[in-house]
Amino acid sequence: MKRRAFLIGAPALLVGCTDVVLRDEVLASQAEVDRVAYVHPGPKSLTLMTMKNTGSGNGAHTGMFINASQRILWDPAGTFGHPSIPERNDVHFGITPRIEQFYISFHSRVTYYTLIQEIDVSPEVAEMALRLAIANGPTAKANCTRHTSRLLAQLPGFTHIKSSFFPNNLADQFAQIPGVRSREYFESDSDDKSVAADEIDRALTGPTPTL
């Protein structure tokens, strides 16, 4: 199995999809995926994540949580990852609330914040989104938003979404959908991503707390 060079805890970490080269395929085994599969309670949903510069407001990266028959993170051309979180080409499995918060915190710091936009969908739409994310394959640099907008545009109820390279443009389109719930998440920790990465690595490799 080929693994990308990035692991949480590495000294050089980047925020956005614009700074990441196309990686080799990352293909966790089915046994690894099955071992961590997490079924989240409540309605099926899609949660669009947009990382924005706190000074300019410019979007830097797009990702999405998909709560379907299992909950996954679709992080095209992203830099988030850890050996304990199985991945298949930008799709991360076993996304419990704890891992979700790690992802949000990983991207949020003094220079960037995270816009979180969630919408409930039918089980059929959620499952279709999951299948499309898995089928997408690895994403090249600068294509995180383009691939996410393309995925969304294939879903019933989202066909009006236009392809875009710009995270803010997709976030604005998503905000126009009736029923979207939005919030912003801020942290004031260091701009040095390796600090957050080291903290997350220690948390994931230490004893697992009760959720």
Side-chain angles (χ1 to χ4, degrees), residues 62 140 142-151 162-166 170:
T62 297
N143 280 270
C144 58
T145 305
R146 186 173 74 88
H147 281 210
T148 303
S149 58
R150 183 179 67 185
L151 184 156
K162 291 179 171 52
S163 179
S164 177
F165 279 93
F166 302 104
L170 178 56

Side-chain angles (χ1 to χ4, degrees), residues 34-110:
D34 292 343
R35 176 179 56 83
V36 302
Y38 169 72
V39 180
H40 191 64
K44 305 307 180 186
S45 62
L46 304 176
T47 306
L48 185 68
M49 316 293 291
T50 306
M51 292 67 184
K52 297 191 173 193
N53 186 287
T54 54
S56 66
N58 290 337
H61 183 56
T62 297
M64 186 163 63
F65 294 110
I66 301 173
N67 184 31
S69 55
Q70 61 176 303
R71 195 173 191 223
I72 67 164
L73 164 63
W74 156 247
D75 194 35
T79 55
F80 180 80
H82 192 271
S84 66
I85 306 172
E87 178 191 350
R88 284 187 172 178
N89 293 333
D90 299 326
V91 176
H92 303 259
F93 297 87
I95 306 303
T96 64
R98 182 172 181 245
I99 300 301
E100 173 192 21
Q101 184 55 45
F102 283 151
Y103 176 78
I104 297 170
S105 182
F106 175 73
H107 287 286
S108 304
R109 58 195 191 278
V110 67

Side-chain angles (χ1 to χ4, degrees), residues 169-184:
N169 178 274
L170 178 56
D172 290 344
Q173 292 188 67
F174 201 82
Q176 300 306 309
I177 303 171
V180 169
R181 304 178 295 278
S182 300
R183 63 187 176 93
E184 295 174 343

